[in-house]
Amino acid sequence: MKIYDISRELFSTPVYPGDPSPKLEKVRQMALGDMCNLSGFYTGCHSATHVDAPLHFIDDGKAIDEMPLEPFLGPCRVVSAEGILTGVNIDALHPQKGERILFHGGAFLSQSAAFALGDAGVILVGTDQQSVAPAGDESAPHIELLSREIILLEGLFLDHVPDGRYILCAMPLKLHELEASPVRAVLWEE
């Protein structure tokens, strides 16, 4: 079985403009004579590879710890795309109800693309970009997808993954009342 790590490293990945930068603290170090190594860290919820919950753009939306776990694990499709996708582009992919779709190659979703994905019944949308939405139009695609409780998996590393069908596992941390969570995302071939 071939496993692809599709996560970005937390401390070296550039952050979205305006987001907090992850920070690491070495509390204890064996190299300095301590009996063990012990570290702490601080990060924004949207750093590196992460998932957005509805609460990110929907004021009374579900927080990450309220989301069912099923969308984060299961069959998915990796698709190459670039530029700002429209509903016509999405319709040409023939998305299916219950499907998870990961885009790689620099694609962003317009509001019409988000509508088409939601209308098809997709349960998770992923991207290798820092956001599913293009700069300057962040709200509309997020609101369209998150209002339907479609999980957004952002900041993926898909450079080494061929288009095709896989099994996805991208479980969020159990973070009470927060709008997003970092994840360790992996794919394996079906």
Side-chain angles (χ1 to χ4, degrees):
M1 167 176 41
K2 182 162 178 85
I3 296 178
Y4 295 93
D5 184 350
I6 58 170
S7 306
R8 295 190 186 271
E9 198 280 323
L10 183 67
F11 297 105
S12 63
T13 299
V15 297
Y16 192 81
D19 282 5
S21 294
K23 293 175 180 57
L24 171 66
E25 178 186 2
K26 300 254 182 178
V27 178
R28 293 191 181 121
Q29 298 180 55
M30 292 173 67
L32 299 178
D34 293 326
M35 77 172 170
C36 66
N37 292 312
L38 179 65
S39 303
F41 67 92
Y42 165 84
T43 189
C45 293
H46 302 267
S47 294
T49 306
H50 66 278
V51 291
D52 291 349
L55 185 59
H56 184 34
F57 272 85
I58 311 297
D59 193 37
D60 60 348
K62 286 184 179 176
I64 198 66
D65 64 315
E66 298 173 312
M67 297 301 296
L69 294 177
E70 290 79 9
F72 301 100
L73 175 66
C76 78
R77 179 167 41 142
V78 174
V79 177
S80 291
E82 59 184 52
I84 299 174
L85 304 180
T86 65
V88 171
N89 301 125
I90 298 303
D91 290 343
L93 295 174
H94 306 289
Q96 302 296 307
K97 182 176 182 168
E99 188 172 24
R100 297 162 189 85
I101 300 177
L102 309 181
F103 293 102
H104 74 95
F108 295 97
L109 303 177
S110 66
Q111 184 176 12
S112 68
F115 178 82
L117 288 163
D119 213 37
V122 169
I123 60 173
L124 181 144
V125 177
T127 180
D128 57 0
Q129 301 302 299
Q130 290 178 318
S131 174
V132 295
D137 189 21
E138 285 284 327
S139 295
H142 275 91
I143 290 169
E144 185 65 48
L145 294 166
L146 294 173
S147 67
R148 298 176 189 234
E149 296 189 358
I150 297 170
I151 301 296
L152 304 182
L153 178 55
E154 299 172 323
L156 294 167
F157 179 68
L158 295 166
D159 292 1
H160 59 297
V161 179
D163 285 6
R165 297 196 179 275
Y166 300 89
I167 302 296
L168 168 71
C169 181
M171 294 292 175
L173 300 175
K174 193 170 187 175
L175 301 173
H176 186 59
E177 296 183 353
L178 293 182
E179 79 289 349
S181 171
V183 300
R184 180 74 179 264
V186 297
L187 293 174
W188 62 91
E189 295 174 340
E190 278 189 286

